[in-house]
Amino acid sequence: MNEKLNEEASIFTISAVVVGLLLVPELEAKQQNDLGNWLMLVGQVLCTNAARIAILKASDPSQSLSNQELVCLFEKTIVAMQKEIDELKNKTT
């Protein structure tokens, strides 16, 4: 069973390599970069969502953050990011 899974995973990976190599001659460097970054972002969104679902399924519901706690966490993150942005702006001026 393990061999079959490894073979399927290899074929899946090889198909991505083939698609990437087929796109290379069709796209200029900037287009390759733009498309590659966009695909990585899509991948990150999917991975993040899947990880969150896995955590929620595996965790004790009483240990999960409430929506209000998540909003508070996001607000604190935004404030911290804005502070960093402001500091970077001040360094360049």
Side-chain angles (χ1 to χ4, degrees), residues 21-91:
L21 291 173
L22 288 172
L23 288 172
V24 167
E26 300 298 320
L27 302 171
E28 296 177 9
K30 183 181 180 328
Q31 293 170 321
Q32 291 174 26
N33 188 41
D34 288 344
L35 180 59
N37 284 325
W38 185 83
L39 290 171
M40 286 191 292
L41 177 58
V42 170
Q44 286 297 311
V45 169
L46 294 172
C47 288
T48 301
N49 191 64
R52 182 69 180 149
I53 290 170
I55 288 169
L56 291 173
K57 284 183 177 179
S59 69
D60 178 2
S62 67
Q63 299 294 317
S64 295
L65 293 176
S66 70
N67 284 342
Q68 185 60 35
E69 290 170 320
L70 280 173
V71 168
C72 184
L73 179 62
F74 289 143
E75 286 173 340
K76 288 179 182 178
T77 303
I78 290 168
V79 168
M81 290 171 65
Q82 187 61 55
K83 182 179 175 186
E84 289 293 322
I85 291 168
D86 292 342
E87 288 178 11
L88 286 171
K89 283 181 181 178
N90 291 334
K91 288 180 182 179

